[in-house]
Amino acid sequence: MKSMQRHAAAAAGILVLSLASTPIFAQQQPAQRGGPPGSDTPYILIATFHSSDMKLGVDAADEVRHRVQDEHTAKELYVVPKMNINNTLEASGYRPDSALNASDLMELSKQLHGEFVLDGTATKLPNNGVRIESRLLTRTGTQTLVQPLPPVDGKDVGEAGKSIERSISEALKGMPAYKTCTNDLRAAKYADAVTQAQIGIKAYPGSVLNRLCELSAYSYNKAPADAVIALSNEILALDPTSMIALTNLADSYAQKGDTSKAIETNLRIYRADPTNQAVAESIVAQLANSGAPDKALPIIDSLLKDNPGDAGMVHTKWSVLRRAKQWKDAIATGELLAKLDTTQITVDYFNRMISDAQADSDVAKQNEIATKAAQKFPTDVDFPLLLASNYQKAGQLQQALTAARRATVADPKSANAWLLSIITANSLKMSDSSGAWAKSAIAAGVSKDQLGAALIGPANDAFQKAQASKLRADWFTALQIAEQVDSIAPTTNSKFFIGVTSYSAAADIMTEVQELIKSKKKEDHAQACTEVKQAEDLFATTSIAMPAGGSVSPPTAGQILGAVQQYGPYIDQFKKTYCKP
C-alpha cells in the first residue's frame, strides 16, 4: 500500500481544484445541517470499515457516517464528506473503497483536518445480522491514542450504525475535559489535569483517553506505584492493548519488586506489538535479567528471523541461553556468534564456552573448545592444563603429556603444568624424563615440596615390585629410584622408601652371607666379607634415612631400626673373624 504521506501534496492539489469548482458542502447529499463548521468545530473522519465482504465494509461506514451527520449539526461535530475522502484516496493511489490501517487513516485524517477517526470492522453474523467493532482514534502530539467503543450487533447495518452513533456521541462527552487535561499536562499543572480527567470520566465512564491523561499526570508527578497500577489496570480493562498503560504497569511492578507480574506484563507488551523491535529488545533485556530468561527466547528468535546476522541479538541470545541453563543451545549460539563477530573471540569467551560444556558434561566439546583456545592464545596456561587433565582422566596419556608440556611452555613458572607433565611421564614409565623435568621446574622457581609428591610415584611402583618379587636386584632398583627422587625433591616419602629398600637389600645380603660362611672355600669367605661390608653401608643408609621418613609408617620404621641395631654387633664380629687385613 502506498503511503498517504508520500502523496500528500498531490492530494492537496486535487482538493484545491474541487473546492474551486464545487462548494464543499454540496459534495455530499444531503448536506450536514447547521451550516458550515466553526473554527473550533471538531472534524470526524469515517472511512471504509475493514471486512472480508468489501461491500459490507463500505455500507457499514456509509450508514454510520449518515447517522452521525443526522444526529449532529456541523457546528457540533463535522463529518468529513465521503467525496472528499474518495478524492484524497484516489489522488494518493488508493481505491475509494479501501480499508486503511491505523497509521494511513491518521495520515488521511491529517489531510482532511480530522480531529477524530472512526476505525471499524464489520462482520456478517450467522443470522444475516451485522457486528461492528469500532474505536475512535485521535492524535495527541506525536501519539495516536485509542478510545475503544463497545461492539454492537444489529439485524442490519442500519440498526448497528444507529448503536455505533450513540457510542460515538457518548464518548465525545468526555472530550472537552480530555482537551483541558492535556493542556494542563503541558503546563505542568498535574493536580488540575487529574481533576479534569476525573470530570471527563464522570461525563463518559468508559473514557480511556481521560484515564490515559490522568495516568500521564501520575507519571509526571511520581505518584505511588500502587496508584499507577490501579489506574493502569482500569485502562487495560477497557483497552487490553494500551501500550501506555502496559508500560506504566510493567514499570510500577518492577518498582515494587514484583518480578513475576513485571515479566507477565512485559510479555503482554510484546504480544500487543510484536513488530516493534525497540520494545522487543527492551523486554528481552528485562527478561534476561529477571528470574525467567527462558521467556525471552521466543522474542529473540522472532527478531532473529528477520535479521539472522544481527551479532548483537545473537550475543543476547547466547547470554539468555546461559542464564536459562540450556547448555547445548548456548554452545551452538556461542559458536554462531564467533562466526558473525570475530572480536567476540576472547579468553573470556572461551572460558564461558568451556564452562557451558562442563555444565553439560560434554568432555569432547570441552576438549574441542580448549584446543581452539590454546591455538588462539598460546601464552594462556589454563587451556592446555584443562586438556592435559581431561586426557589424563580418560587414560589418553600421550595426548595428556603433549598438552602438559605445552602448558609448561605457555607458563614455565606454573607448578601445575610441571606436575602434570611429571605425573603423566611417570604413568608412561618415563622416569628419566620426569626427573629431568623436575630439575627444570625447580630451576624455573617451582617449590621442591610441590614436586616431591609428583615424583614419588615411580619410587612407590619400584618398591611394590620388589616387595612382590623379593629379588635383591629389584630392591636395588627401587633404592636407586628413591635416591634419585630424594636428590631432586626430598620428602618424608622419599626418605621412607630409601630406608625400607636399603634395609631390605641389606637383609637379603646377610641371608646370603650366612650360606657363604658355611663353605670351606676361601673365595666364598672373601665374597662374604665383601657383601658384609656392602650390607653395613646399606644399614648405615637405612639408619640415616629412616628417622626422617619414619612418620610415613612408625611401626615399620621402628621394626627396621630395631633390626639394624641387632645386625650391628653381628657385622662387627663377622668382620673380625672373616675380613682379615
Side-chain angles (χ1 to χ4, degrees):
M1 183 179 286
K2 299 176 184 177
S3 168
M4 293 295 303
Q5 191 170 12
R6 185 154 50 111
H7 295 280
I14 292 285
L15 288 176
V16 169
L17 291 174
S18 298
L19 288 169
S21 59
T22 309
I24 188 170
F25 308 110
Q27 293 176 16
Q28 180 168 328
Q29 299 295 329
Q32 191 171 353
R33 62 188 172 87
S39 59
D40 59 349
T41 299
Y43 283 40
I44 184 168
L45 175 83
I46 304 173
T48 301
F49 288 175
H50 303 277
S51 179
S52 58
D53 181 340
M54 185 177 294
K55 183 177 183 304
L56 177 61
V58 172
D59 291 346
D62 287 346
E63 184 63 34
V64 173
R65 192 182 305 109
H66 293 153
R67 291 281 180 179
V68 176
Q69 283 179 323
D70 288 345
E71 294 298 328
H72 297 272
T73 69
K75 301 288 186 183
E76 298 169 349
L77 177 67
Y78 182 67
V79 180
V80 177
K82 181 176 181 179
M83 185 176 294
N84 288 14
I85 296 172
N86 291 349
N87 286 342
T88 305
L89 286 173
E90 289 176 341
S92 300
Y94 290 91
R95 288 166 50 99
D97 56 3
S98 298
L100 305 180
N101 60 37
S103 61
D104 282 346
L105 274 173
M106 296 308 293
E107 185 59 36
L108 175 63
S109 177
K110 181 180 177 181
Q111 298 301 317
L112 296 173
H113 312 293
E115 183 177 339
F116 302 108
V117 173
L118 184 69
D119 183 23
T121 299
T123 308
K124 274 217 180 276
L125 297 176
N127 59 359
N128 292 323
V130 177
R131 164 167 287 192
I132 297 179
E133 297 169 289
S134 61
R135 57 184 187 162
L136 282 175
L137 308 179
T138 188
R139 194 186 300 273
T140 299
T142 60
Q143 286 186 312
T144 296
L145 301 181
V146 176
Q147 172 61 62
L149 300 177
V152 300
D153 293 344
K155 65 180 181 181
D156 53 30
V157 292
E159 185 174 86
K162 184 177 181 179
S163 297
I164 291 295
E165 185 283 320
R166 284 198 296 267
S167 295
I168 293 172
S169 295
E170 286 298 310
L172 291 177
K173 289 178 182 179
M175 290 304 176
Y178 170 70
K179 291 180 181 178
T180 305
C181 179
T182 56
N183 289 335
D184 287 338
L185 282 181
R186 294 187 188 99
K189 298 177 180 179
Y190 303 129
D192 291 344
V194 170
T195 298
Q196 287 300 317
Q198 291 173 350
I199 291 172
I201 293 168
K202 186 175 181 180
Y204 177 51
S207 177
V208 168
L209 297 181
N210 277 290
R211 286 178 171 86
L212 287 172
C213 188
E214 184 178 5
L215 184 61
S216 295
Y218 280 6
S219 177
Y220 292 140
N221 209 26
K222 302 188 184 305
D226 286 337
V228 174
I229 289 169
L231 183 55
S232 296
N233 281 323
E234 279 187 37
I235 296 168
L236 291 169
L238 297 167
D239 180 9
T241 65
S242 172
M243 195 63 68
I244 295 173
L246 285 168
T247 302
N248 277 273
L249 186 63
D251 290 345
S252 296
Y253 280 136
Q255 182 182 336
K256 286 189 67 176
D258 193 335
T259 304
S260 63
K261 287 189 177 179
I263 291 171
E264 177 187 330
T265 308
N266 280 322
L267 290 174
R268 287 177 65 183
I269 291 173
Y270 170 69
R271 295 186 190 107
D273 187 9
T275 63
N276 191 322
Q277 183 166 347
V279 170
E281 290 176 355
S282 174
I283 295 170
V284 165
Q286 293 174 12
L287 289 171
N289 294 319
S290 72
D294 53 308
K295 293 185 178 180
L297 291 170
I299 302 175
I300 295 172
D301 287 338
S302 70
L303 294 173
L304 286 173
K305 184 177 180 181
D306 296 329
N307 190 7
D310 185 344
M313 189 53 62
V314 172
H315 187 281
T316 298
K317 182 177 182 179
W318 181 45
S319 299
V320 170
L321 285 166
R322 297 188 76 242
R323 287 175 180 268
K325 299 182 179 180
Q326 297 183 24
W327 307 119
K328 281 185 170 55
D329 288 341
I331 293 167
T333 303
E335 290 172 341
L336 173 61
L337 175 63
K339 293 177 182 178
L340 293 173
D341 183 3
T342 56
T343 65
Q344 296 288 337
I345 307 175
T346 62
V347 170
D348 180 65
Y349 163 83
F350 279 120
N351 283 330
R352 292 186 184 191
M353 290 286 284
I354 290 169
S355 174
D356 293 350
Q358 289 172 333
D360 196 39
S361 302
D362 190 339
V363 178
K365 182 58 74 172
Q366 289 177 49
N367 292 345
E368 176 188 329
I369 297 168
T371 298
K372 292 179 181 178
Q375 293 169 349
K376 179 74 174 178
F377 300 101
T379 60
D380 192 301
V381 71
D382 291 334
F383 301 123
L385 278 179
L386 174 65
L387 285 168
S389 178
N390 283 349
Y391 283 133
Q392 191 178 69
K393 290 174 184 176
Q396 297 173 277
L397 298 181
Q398 193 57 58
Q399 292 95 320
L401 183 60
T402 300
R405 294 296 295 135
R406 188 182 300 150
T408 63
V409 173
D411 183 3
K413 295 184 179 299
S414 171
N416 287 335
W418 288 109
L419 289 170
L420 272 171
S421 296
I422 292 166
I423 291 170
T424 308
N426 288 340
S427 299
L428 289 167
K429 308 301 180 185
M430 298 168 58
S431 57
D432 289 344
S433 295
S434 66
W437 292 337
K439 291 177 181 177
S440 297
I442 291 169
V446 178
S447 166
K448 290 183 179 181
D449 291 339
Q450 288 179 287
L451 294 169
L455 289 170
I456 203 64
N460 181 58
D461 292 342
F463 169 74
Q464 296 295 336
K465 179 181 179 182
Q467 196 171 39
S469 71
K470 308 298 182 185
L471 295 176
R472 189 187 308 174
D474 288 342
W475 288 119
F476 274 120
T477 298
L479 173 60
Q480 181 184 14
I481 293 173
E483 287 179 329
Q484 181 185 17
V485 171
D486 192 70
S487 68
I488 298 170
T491 62
T492 54
N493 281 319
S494 65
K495 300 294 185 185
F496 178 76
F497 282 124
I498 290 172
V500 172
T501 54
S502 60
Y503 168 77
S504 298
D508 184 72
I509 290 172
M510 293 305 297
T511 299
E512 183 178 349
V513 167
Q514 294 294 327
E515 295 300 321
L516 288 171
I517 61 175
K518 293 178 183 179
S519 172
K520 302 295 185 180
K521 297 178 181 178
K522 289 183 179 180
E523 56 269 27
D524 289 341
H525 289 180
Q527 183 180 348
C529 182
T530 300
E531 291 194 2
V532 163
K533 291 179 180 179
Q534 185 181 23
E536 183 179 33
D537 291 339
L538 289 168
F539 283 138
T541 299
T542 303
S543 298
I544 294 170
M546 191 53 80
S551 61
V552 174
S553 176
T556 301
Q559 291 175 4
I560 288 176
L561 288 173
V564 170
Q565 289 179 350
Q566 291 177 3
Y567 274 113
Y570 177 77
I571 289 175
D572 289 340
Q573 183 60 43
F574 185 91
K575 286 167 62 179
K576 288 180 183 179
T577 306
Y578 293 100
C579 299
K580 303 293 184 181

